[in-house]
Amino acid sequence: MCGIVGYAGYRQAYPILLESLKRLEYRGYDSAGVAIVGSGITVQKDKGYISQLEETAEAVPGTLGIAHTRWATHGPPSKENAHPHIDCTGDLALIHNGIIENHQPLRDRLKGEGHVFRSETDTEVAAHLIESLYHGDLEGAVREALHEIRGSYAFAVIHSKEPDKVVAARNESPLVVGLGTDENFLASDIPALLKHTNRVLYVMDGEIVVLGRDSVRITDYEGKPIAREPQRITWTLEDAEKGGFEHFMLKEIFEEPQAIHDTLLGRVAEPELNSFFREGYTGVKLVACGTSYHAALVGKYVLEEIARIPTTAELASEYRYSKAPADRPLVILLSQSGETADTLGACREANRRGCKTFAIANVIGSSLSREAQRTMLTRAGIEIGVAATKTFVAQLAALYLLAIRIGLERATLGVEEANRLNEDLRRLPRAVQAVLNQAPYIEGLAQEYAKARDVFFIGRHLGYPIAMEGALKLKEISYVHAEAYAAGELKHGPLALVGSDTPVVAIVTRDHTYDKMLSNIREVDARGAPVLAIGTEGDKDLGKIVDNVIYVPAVPPLFAPVPVVVALQLFAYHVARVRGCAIDKPRNLAKSVTVE
Ligand code: F6R
């Protein structure tokens, strides 16, 4: 996730672009850059926050330009990898938010044609591709290039030979036009526009915009004009930064279909992972903290089932002090931030023990991604709410991908079966969306449960780590005491605590533990506990034996943790909201835990 802005008008573009860009810093802030059309194009960029760019850049004159704040996905944060990217001639500058899925074959081809690349980014490919198609018509060249580019993107491009326009395009990444008088604006998101205008045009997938000082033209990829009525935005700036959601956490939960989609994009046959997993270990150890540890627990079942490899999950804070076993497992470290001190310590320890180390992290260039031997990025974009939500489902998506890859490389999984699993994976964003559509119902339920002092979460098999994650979400943001138990363990102790004032949240999706879960529900029901079940759509019988049910779409049992956890995140969010808690910044907690 990056932020892009563009301006075409009568005022000096430089201060407007930088000021607007700062409003998008929540979308990413590892490097920034600006390009202004004056006499030729001047590009200035730097690593770090936009404030750093301001210190090093000059306010070059010009009334048209583009600017970018980056959240790295291809190539670490650096001056070279910062946007805008230019073509070989320096006449064209381009900014991009998203991922170009087929960047490698395009790069190879363009290099073969003599184009010289200056960065490691997927984005630079688009600059050279448009250059190769440019014959005096920027809009036409962009249109042609888009027929070749696969992936998600919002682009904005300028050319010194056509100094009166910004050409932009969108597919699966946000883009909005702001309409002014004798000036027009372009941005990834509304906050960048609000200081100047509240009249906007939303650009849709498959559309190209040509932005001029006194005109805005939208067409489809074939050049057919599209008429669109402007909308008037009534949000305050703070509302706008949260995309109109009351809290970042809710916004981020609603970004989950995109987070999963982006994490999967182009990964099915990712060349750089090939052969890493083929040999050199007999088992896998997943190591992480907090929510990432819960993803690791799910990963244990997933790797054992898909890749048929013995797997354990361990807390990073414990792994570091365990004895090194004689065999050396593949150690997979999961961390949203990539900066968690215990996870970093575990990575160093695993390296020291001679293990292969692999990180799943959300922040490129983070310490963990540098210290592990290989890294897979979860492309969830920046997460601001302290409670991890979209990064958790992105971690699960990465673990499914990894299990398929390991299974294929070790030949414990057939190609046909892998293809079927990949298809199931691709359907997950839709299943998540179906849960999100039930947010108003879950909000209503939360009213009922918000007064509870203690809540128990129960599940079996894959439902158990998800119960743990549901309990963690509830306790950290609503301060309700919440505990998770493997449902089979209830009668070995915790049942003594269950009564009419201890609601039980039970995960009862359709899998091989279903009947046993029903028995556990009867046990708590007999002690008077109100039961909220998370069940599979169509399971009418479940509704008859519990007090409330949140139904999630039927997906293959191995993938059920994804829709189920979304329901639990929404439940925790709404309970916390009813209780008036500081949801995005819960007491005593920090987003990145850099102390042991
Ligand atoms: C809970 C939460 C924490 C983190 C934990 C590890 O919502 O966010 O439990 O999961 O601090 O952080 P990362 O994943 O950055 O290593």
Side-chain angles (χ1 to χ4, degrees), residues 289-292 335-338 340 343 386-388 395 472-473 476 593:
C289 299
T291 287
S292 297
S335 174
Q336 179 283 128
S337 59
T340 300
T343 312
V386 163
Q395 283 173 340
L472 177 61
K473 284 290 93 91
E476 71 176 323
V593 184

Side-chain angles (χ1 to χ4, degrees), residues 309-374:
I309 184 153
T311 304
T312 55
E314 195 162 347
L315 287 164
S317 51
E318 293 297 316
Y319 170 76
R320 301 176 60 187
Y321 305 107
S322 64
K323 276 236 160 65
D327 59 336
R328 293 197 190 104
L330 162 70
V331 176
I332 300 177
L333 303 120
L334 294 107
S335 174
Q336 179 283 128
S337 59
E339 300 296 346
T340 300
D342 283 318
T343 312
L344 267 175
C347 181
R348 285 176 196 140
E349 179 60 18
N351 281 332
R352 200 189 58 75
R353 292 178 186 182
C355 301
K356 282 189 153 186
T357 52
F358 187 89
I360 296 178
N362 196 47
V363 182
I364 195 171
S366 56
S367 307
L368 185 65
S369 69
R370 289 196 308 271
E371 299 212 19
Q373 290 152 26
R374 296 289 176 95

Side-chain angles (χ1 to χ4, degrees), residues 498-504 521-531 547:
V498 171
S500 58
D501 56 354
T502 52
V504 174
I521 286 175
R522 289 197 180 92
E523 283 164 13
V524 296
D525 182 55
R527 272 89 190 164
V531 179
D547 297 87

Side-chain angles (χ1 to χ4, degrees), residues 180-299:
T181 307
D182 266 346
E183 58 182 354
N184 290 303
F185 308 82
L186 194 71
S188 303
D189 210 349
I190 302 285
L193 305 174
L194 278 185
K195 187 173 171 202
H196 306 289
T197 180
N198 63 357
R199 280 200 321 135
V200 306
L201 290 171
Y202 286 100
V203 183
M204 302 298 169
D205 287 348
E207 292 181 352
I208 295 176
V209 187
V210 181
L211 191 86
R213 171 180 171 156
D214 47 20
S215 69
V216 173
R217 203 157 42 75
I218 305 181
T219 58
D220 67 14
Y221 284 6
E222 308 312 319
K224 206 166 109 233
I226 291 169
R228 177 142 317 130
E229 281 303 307
Q231 294 187 29
R232 209 166 275 282
I233 299 293
T234 52
W235 297 339
T236 63
L237 197 57
E238 202 195 329
D239 289 342
E241 277 174 358
K242 293 181 186 143
F245 290 97
E246 201 177 326
H247 297 95
F248 280 109
M249 178 178 174
L250 191 61
K251 175 173 180 270
E252 285 157 5
I253 294 173
F254 273 78
E255 285 168 352
E256 289 181 3
Q258 185 81 43
I260 298 171
H261 171 271
D262 286 353
T263 299
L264 300 180
L265 205 66
R267 283 270 170 75
V268 171
E270 190 156 30
E272 72 254 34
L273 298 185
N274 282 347
S275 80
F276 181 74
F277 297 113
R278 200 160 294 152
E279 54 209 5
Y281 59 96
T282 46
V284 176
K285 188 175 275 295
L286 296 151
V287 181
C289 299
T291 287
S292 297
Y293 171 64
H294 297 152
L297 289 170
V298 173

Side-chain angles (χ1 to χ4, degrees), residues 400-419:
Y400 291 121
L401 277 174
L402 215 57
I404 295 169
R405 168 62 48 205
I406 292 176
L408 283 171
E409 284 201 16
R410 294 172 66 92
T412 49
L413 179 72
V415 173
E416 224 170 88
E417 179 66 351
N419 289 343

